[in-house]
Amino acid sequence: MSAYTLLQLLEVAISSLILLVGVLKGWPPVALLGGGFLIGKAILNILWPEGGTVYRRSLIGYGVAFVFVPGGAIIAHFTG
């Protein structure tokens, strides 16, 4: 297994723990943060067949997550 694969698995494990803590403790912003990290990682990997550097794909994936997390926190604030 390559170092890059191990790094990705570690990132997913940490993001999943953040998401789990947010859900179990009832902290919507923390759950959104964990979900945002997972969304970013998913988009990064979805864009892999399109080509481009890992930095470009990371910027796109985590850029989408950067919009998702505060947007979800705003919605959670006004609906909760």
Side-chain angles (χ1 to χ4, degrees):
M1 195 177 299
S2 74
Y4 180 72
T5 302
L6 288 173
L7 177 63
Q8 283 195 332
L9 290 172
L10 180 64
E11 289 176 1
V12 169
I14 292 169
S15 300
S16 298
L17 281 173
I18 293 169
L19 177 63
L20 185 63
V21 167
V23 169
L24 292 178
K25 294 289 186 175
W27 299 335
V30 175
L32 285 164
L33 182 64
F37 284 136
L38 291 172
I39 288 170
K41 178 58 69 184
I43 292 173
L44 185 150
N45 288 319
I46 289 167
L47 292 175
W48 175 75
E50 301 294 323
T53 66
V54 70
Y55 300 111
R56 179 185 151 281
R57 293 183 286 129
S58 294
L59 284 174
I60 293 168
Y62 291 116
V64 170
F66 183 75
V67 173
F68 171 80
V69 172
I74 291 168
I75 292 170
H77 175 75
F78 289 111
T79 60

